[in-house]
Amino acid sequence: NAGVMQNPRHLVRRRGQEARLRCSPMKGHSHVYWYRQLPEEGLKFMVYLQKENIIDESGMPKERFSAEFPKEGPSILRIQQVVRGDSAAYFCASSTTRGQSYEQYFGPGTRLTVT
Amino acid sequence: AQSVTQLDSQVPVFEEAPVELRCNYSSSVSVYLFWYVQYPNQGLQLLLKYLSGSTLVKGINGFEAEFNKSQTSFHLRKPSVHISDTAEYFCAVSRGTYKYIFGTGTRLKVLA
């Protein structure tokens, strides 16, 4: 029973390049959440998606960041024209339905380094 | 606005000793509370959660936490730690929605 999968685990990009981070939720989960962890900080909510819909993107930076969760395939977090400040760990989580506890299952994260 | 404070960034403790990792939150409404553990190069794993009911919550791996509403705390405890408990521990709060607020984490280092 595979958990939440993220790839790549480590990603190095030069300033100005694009970064694509992938997240495959747990089997049967249709809700995906992305969080960012900057150095020495806690995880911060970025976006919540269901299949083909963005439900809440209030934590996403206004520019250069976008997310999608297509009908088929993994959820993608895309960062265009990366800058050094984008260096962070990006975690994806998934859940079944909203339910009472909103228990979210986390992936291992993608560590993005911008040089 | 909600916030979560984990006062200790690092906690060293000897094997078989007890440990308490502190978590305080600020919220004027009822919240759900969580503790997650992150082992090196792995994702976050849920240790335990408080939704309602008994204020003493037992989780996996022998951990427990007590919800104290008057002190707005949710400290994590284990009576006897093992080397394998070395990890980073995150406290999180939710107002009953999907949007979790995380603390900055506490690195627990268990010494032989």
Side-chain angles (χ1 to χ4, degrees), chain A residues 9-10 33 35 37 40-43 45 48 55-56 58 91 98 100-104 106-109 111, chain B residues 32 34 36 38 41-44 46 49 51-52 88 90 94 96-104 107:
Chain A
R9 296 290 303 277
H10 299 274
Y33 316 84
Y35 291 82
Q37 183 182 26
E40 306 304 320
E41 294 187 17
L43 282 72
F45 169 82
Y48 163 34
I55 307 302
D56 181 351
S58 59
F91 290 92
R98 291 193 181 185
Q100 183 186 16
S101 66
Y102 302 102
E103 184 172 334
Q104 298 177 15
F106 284 80
R111 279 151 183 83
Chain B
Y32 296 160
F34 306 83
Y36 282 85
Q38 184 181 25
N41 297 316
Q42 295 187 28
L44 278 69
L46 182 67
K49 62 189 176 191
L51 306 179
S52 64
E88 187 151 22
F90 291 94
S94 158
T97 73
Y98 50 82
K99 208 175 284 189
Y100 287 17
I101 308 296
F102 281 87
T104 51
R107 287 190 181 85

Side-chain angles (χ1 to χ4, degrees), chain A residues 42 64 75:
Chain A
R64 302 187 297 108
S75 174

Side-chain angles (χ1 to χ4, degrees), chain B residues 19-65:
Chain B
V19 71
E20 179 179 81
L21 305 183
R22 295 180 291 170
C23 173
N24 288 86
Y25 67 93
S26 65
S27 177
S28 57
V29 298
S30 297
V31 294
Y32 296 160
L33 295 153
F34 306 83
W35 274 100
Y36 282 85
V37 60
Q38 184 181 25
Y39 298 104
N41 297 316
Q42 295 187 28
L44 278 69
Q45 179 183 2
L46 182 67
L47 272 179
L48 49 79
K49 62 189 176 191
Y50 172 79
L51 306 179
S52 64
S54 173
T55 57
L56 183 61
V57 180
K58 293 192 182 298
I60 61 171
N61 301 341
F63 283 93
E64 63 180 33

